[in-house]
Structures are given as structure tokens and as C-alpha cells.
Amino acid sequence: MAFERLVRFVPKGDTSRVLVGEPVDSSVDVGLAVYKGEEVQVKVYSGSSVLDAGSPTGETAVIGQILSPVTANEAGTIRCIGLNQYKRHAEEAKMSIPDIPTLFLKPPTCLAGPYPEPTIIPKHTIASDSADYESELAIILGKEAKNVSEADALDYVLGYTACNDISSRASQFAQTQWCYSKGFDGACPIGPVLVSKDVIKDVGKLRLRGLKNGKAVQDSPLTDLIFSVEQIVSFVSQGTTLPKGTVIITGTPAGVGFAHKPQELLHDGDEFIVEIQPHIGSLVNKLQNEK
């Protein structure tokens, strides 16, 4: 069954169920509406996963809690394109523009959902005051991929969502690789909806913003991507089997917290929103110190 936007959610009034469906209002920013306490009606599908959503059942339900579009088991190891992915971000980080994508990995335990699921600042990183955000577009694959050509890459893409690549800069800058500093539990919240690649035919027409406590700290069109979706999917699939449901995050634009003067780092109680318009909407995260 073709879809435009899918949301995985717990329905209001029944915490025993996890449903998949399509918002009744195709224009609503699902993440922002739920955060504001507004009722969002969803046309329920017969499937239990966005990877096999099934067809409309005729039932409608109100979102009680938004979940990440895919589960940790479905996502598996998360593929991440490094901080060079946007031209202006490469410049602010004083790194040269790469000839090939820089790849690092996040474990499945990083995967998390939007508000009200808290975004945790690990206790062992609090003293360094180095928690940071990275607003990103995420790709979700709809079928297994290996040795994919750029020409065929979009055939493997199911759709797109928003991501916040939470990072500990102190840990990152203390090492030559980034998996540890970006691999903590819950450090990859994604959502709020999965938008079909048939709706977003050109990611260059999307605009990505990061808002910390209501202040825009990142703002970039996706035309600033160094590597296209096709190049990214092809590259990460070479010699490597990417299961159906694999999440690939595509890099962040200029404006990350450590580069601001003064710095705009994340602290307990902060609100951070990754907004990708049109279609995807707002991934809302509330930061919380680990107890």
C-alpha cells in the first residue's frame, strides 16, 4: 500500500497497543502538535511496522505518544555520515571537504523517539559540559541493499525522517574516531513521521532548522549537502549488507553548539527541535541528566 506519511505510536487511552498509521490531516506538524497537547487523529493501518504497513483498516486513533518510526531491532547498526557532510559545517569545523563520505556507526541502543521520551545526557559526560546537538535528515531503507549503484539507490529508500545526532564533544575531541562519543544510549532520537520518497522526490527542496529553547541555531537548505542521497546509499552499501529498516543519518549543517560564540551546548531541561519542512515536521527532544 502506497503511503505519504506514516507514524508509529501508542494510542491515547490504550498503552498496551503500538499502532502504525497515516495522519488524517496531511498538513499537520505531528511532532509539534503532540508536544503542544493537541489531538492528532491517525488512520490506522493493518501492519505493525512502517516497513510493512499493510493497508487502512477504517479505524482511527488519537496519538498518545509518538515512537521512533522503526524499532532498534529493525534499524540495527545506524550508519552515520560525518560532520563534513555540509559545506559550511566543514568550514566551521576547520575540516577539508572530503572526496568520499566519512562514515561512523551508532549501535541500535542509540535509537530513541521524540518527546515525551527524554533525551539523556550521560552522567559521566556532565562534568565536561560538552553535550551537543546535530540536526540531520535520516534515510530509512525499505529493502535489503548491497553493492548498490548510485543510479539504483533510490529504489532501496523507503522514506525520510528527522534525526538529532547527540554528541559528547569532550569525548569526541579526545579520540580520533567518533563511535564512542556519539554512541551513548538514546543518542539518536528520530521522528516524528516517516515520509515516503514518492512525496519527497528531491531532498534539496527541504529546509532543515535546529531550534534550542526556541532560538534557531541551525538553518540550512539541503542543497548544501556535499554528497547526495544516492551517493550516500551507494557508498555505505559497498561490500556491506544493509538490512531492510537500516537508518542512515546524513550529516549536520553549520551551527552546532560548540561552534557558537558563546557556545550553545545542551543542559538538563533544555528543549531542542529538529525541524525539516515541508512534510517531515518537528522532532522535539527534552534534555535530561542521567540520574
Side-chain angles (χ1 to χ4, degrees):
M1 176 73 185
F3 70 91
E4 292 187 359
R5 299 195 304 164
L6 290 176
V7 60
R8 193 172 72 93
F9 66 103
V10 175
K12 189 174 182 180
D14 188 355
T15 58
S16 67
R17 302 173 74 196
V18 173
L19 302 176
V20 171
E22 190 147 13
V24 171
D25 182 350
S26 62
S27 66
V28 69
D29 183 331
V30 173
L32 200 56
V34 170
Y35 179 58
K36 291 179 177 179
E38 300 171 3
E39 287 200 348
V40 177
Q41 291 272 351
V42 176
K43 294 178 288 186
V44 177
Y45 277 51
S46 59
S48 59
S49 167
V50 298
L51 304 180
D52 294 291
S55 57
T57 63
E59 177 189 0
T60 60
V62 174
I63 295 175
Q65 179 177 348
I66 311 171
L67 305 175
S68 60
V70 292
T71 67
N73 284 340
E74 289 172 330
T77 302
I78 300 163
R79 271 65 176 189
C80 315
I81 303 302
L83 56 82
N84 293 335
Q85 184 60 19
Y86 284 73
K87 298 179 182 71
R88 289 194 300 130
H89 183 44
E91 292 165 0
E92 76 176 354
K94 296 179 173 57
M95 298 186 72
S96 59
I97 303 296
D99 295 323
I100 60 173
T102 299
L103 180 67
F104 64 95
L105 307 176
K106 283 178 175 272
T109 48
C110 280
L111 196 74
Y115 173 88
E117 183 175 349
T119 302
I120 301 299
I121 300 174
K123 64 174 68 174
H124 76 287
T125 71
I126 293 171
S128 66
D129 189 22
S130 62
D132 207 347
Y133 54 82
E134 292 191 4
S135 305
E136 309 200 16
L137 176 75
I139 303 163
I140 296 180
L141 300 188
K143 58 183 179 180
E144 184 179 285
K146 183 177 181 181
N147 294 334
V148 173
S149 69
E150 290 180 24
D152 293 336
L154 291 183
D155 293 341
Y156 295 83
V157 174
L158 180 63
Y160 305 96
T161 192
C163 172
N164 193 349
D165 177 18
I166 302 293
S167 309
S168 167
R169 298 301 184 194
S171 296
Q172 182 181 4
F173 299 149
Q175 298 176 325
T176 57
Q177 56 78 32
W178 306 332
C179 295
Y180 176 75
S181 61
K182 293 168 172 281
F184 303 128
D185 289 353
C188 191
I190 65 172
V193 296
L194 174 69
V195 181
S196 169
K197 67 176 179 185
D198 296 326
V199 172
I200 302 176
K201 295 182 183 296
D202 179 3
V203 299
K205 293 182 179 179
L206 300 175
R207 187 164 199 96
L208 183 154
R209 294 202 305 160
L211 300 101
K212 181 189 172 199
N213 298 327
K215 174 186 175 183
V217 288
Q218 292 182 291
D219 189 347
S220 178
L222 268 73
T223 51
D224 196 37
L225 284 167
I226 295 170
F227 300 106
S228 68
V229 169
E230 293 89 338
Q231 288 173 308
I232 292 168
V233 172
S234 176
F235 178 80
V236 299
S237 74
Q238 298 308 306
T240 304
T241 300
L242 304 175
K244 179 179 181 178
T246 293
V247 174
I248 306 170
I249 62 175
T250 58
T252 197
V256 294
F258 82 90
H260 278 268
K261 295 183 181 179
Q263 291 184 331
E264 291 279 3
L265 297 168
L266 298 173
H267 302 101
D268 187 63
D270 280 345
E271 168 198 280
F272 196 88
I273 298 176
V274 179
E275 176 195 87
I276 305 179
Q277 298 289 6
H279 308 303
I280 294 173
S282 301
L283 168 65
V284 181
N285 298 136
K286 278 279 195 176
L287 280 297
Q288 180 179 307
N289 284 347
E290 185 179 20
K291 302 299 188 225

